[in-house]
Amino acid sequence: MRRAGAARAREGPPRATVRRARVRPWPQTFRDRAAVRPAEAASIEQGVRLRAIFLLLVGMILAIAATDVLTGAVGLLRETASRPLTEAEKARYVQEDIAGRWHTWPATLVFPSELEYIGLGRVQLYARRVGIAPETACRSGTDAAVGSVLEEHGCRTLLRATYVDQTSTFAVTVGVAVMEDAERRQAAAGDLSNDDRVGVRPVAFRGTATELFGAAQRQRNAWVGVGPYIVFSTAGYTDGRTRQAVAPEEIPHSELWPTAQAVAGRIAHALGDEPAVPRCTQGNVC
């Protein structure tokens, strides 16, 4: 027993067990994250550069567009701003106004209900409009020799109305041939016959003093040109007297033809009268 105790005494106290610390490895996800950080940084930097380039391009496009809009606005303001009309613009204004009257004016303005004329003894008298005929083709409303010339030169339409003098002794039919323009009208006028037996065909209205006024009753025919219009006139007696019935030695009534000329002349004058031209592009204030 003693030996056993002595042996344990010599051996001494028991040694403490020494444990080595174990080094824990970094998680795999942390290592992966650390590895991709440079790539993410590079990608972000590239994205920033691309975004900057995109914004620069958008800014340039917007700047160009804004410049174009501003330039257009300035040009539009200059174009629409009131300014004095040029001589060419004034002439075109007059030409267009006159050329459009045959359809912009009402028929009662083209052919007024009353027209003044001067009778014997310089007395002021009035011719009265009996009726307005429907619009017709130039060839059908004139004699063949006249209609063919009008049609050849591009006559657009024919307007007609019939008047009587203040005593209802004379009938006068006025015809307005509408040409394309003044140049066409001049060309057509140069080809018209000087024969006073042909011209516009009369228009008679039943139940009026003109109901006996036909082609055979015409005593004379004439025309006058103004703007794009050729204004024809024909006159005769309302009692049905024909041209052949008037003996060569008998002179038609001295008021007949002056009345017809006055009526047609006033209609032509109104159609060709120059309008008041505005001084500026937007009225009379520049």
Side-chain angles (χ1 to χ4, degrees):
M1 297 292 291
R2 293 178 181 174
R3 291 178 182 173
R8 282 196 297 271
R10 285 194 300 272
E11 290 177 0
R15 296 180 181 179
T17 303
V18 179
R19 296 182 179 179
R20 296 182 179 180
R22 295 178 61 185
V23 178
R24 295 180 62 188
W26 286 8
Q28 182 68 27
T29 56
F30 186 81
R31 290 201 304 270
D32 293 344
R33 196 173 301 164
V36 300
R37 278 178 183 173
E40 288 180 350
S43 176
I44 292 172
E45 183 178 354
Q46 182 180 9
V48 171
R49 286 198 301 270
L50 292 176
R51 186 171 182 271
I53 293 172
F54 173 76
L55 292 177
L56 179 62
L57 290 175
V58 171
M60 291 175 63
I61 292 172
L62 291 176
I64 293 172
T67 302
D68 290 343
V69 171
L70 182 60
T71 303
V74 172
L76 182 62
L77 286 174
R78 289 178 179 175
E79 188 68 24
T80 57
S82 185
R83 59 172 176 78
L85 289 173
T86 65
E87 292 302 317
E89 288 173 331
K90 291 179 181 178
R92 185 167 63 251
Y93 179 92
V94 171
Q95 181 180 5
E96 291 177 353
D97 184 273
I98 293 175
R101 288 175 180 174
W102 71 274
H103 64 85
T104 58
W105 284 7
T108 53
L109 186 56
V110 177
F111 300 114
S113 60
E114 287 188 341
L115 289 169
E116 181 185 344
Y117 69 96
I118 303 300
L120 293 177
R122 308 298 297 171
V123 178
Q124 179 178 301
L125 301 173
Y126 290 91
R128 178 175 52 87
R129 188 191 69 220
V130 177
I132 299 174
E135 185 178 331
T136 189
C138 299
R139 180 181 284 273
S140 63
T142 58
D143 293 303
V146 174
S148 60
V149 172
L150 295 178
E151 190 174 68
E152 178 184 350
H153 291 280
C155 183
R156 302 173 66 178
T157 190
L158 183 69
L159 314 176
R160 291 180 298 172
T162 298
Y163 290 79
V164 292
D165 71 312
Q166 192 158 318
T167 63
S168 295
T169 302
F170 316 128
V172 180
T173 292
V174 179
V176 179
V178 182
M179 310 302 292
E180 292 289 342
D181 49 46
E183 289 72 20
R184 289 284 191 93
R185 186 266 298 170
Q186 291 172 351
D191 291 340
L192 286 175
S193 171
N194 292 323
D195 188 352
D196 71 352
R197 293 173 298 176
V198 296
V200 65
R201 290 185 175 276
V203 181
F205 294 89
R206 288 185 179 180
T208 71
T210 66
E211 62 183 350
L212 298 179
F213 183 46
Q217 282 70 41
R218 293 179 295 180
Q219 300 297 317
R220 289 187 66 180
N221 295 272
W223 56 266
V224 61
V226 58
Y229 309 111
I230 300 179
V231 181
F232 293 91
S233 59
T234 186
Y237 296 104
T238 58
D239 60 5
R241 201 180 322 173
T242 65
R243 180 168 177 144
Q244 287 72 22
V246 179
E249 63 275 7
E250 181 183 348
I251 301 175
H253 196 287
S254 58
E255 279 191 359
L256 186 149
W257 194 237
T259 300
Q261 287 181 309
V263 170
R266 289 191 174 278
I267 291 173
H269 177 76
L271 285 171
D273 189 28
E274 290 193 5
V277 181
R279 294 189 299 106
C280 311
T281 55
Q282 295 183 11
N284 290 319
V285 179
C286 300

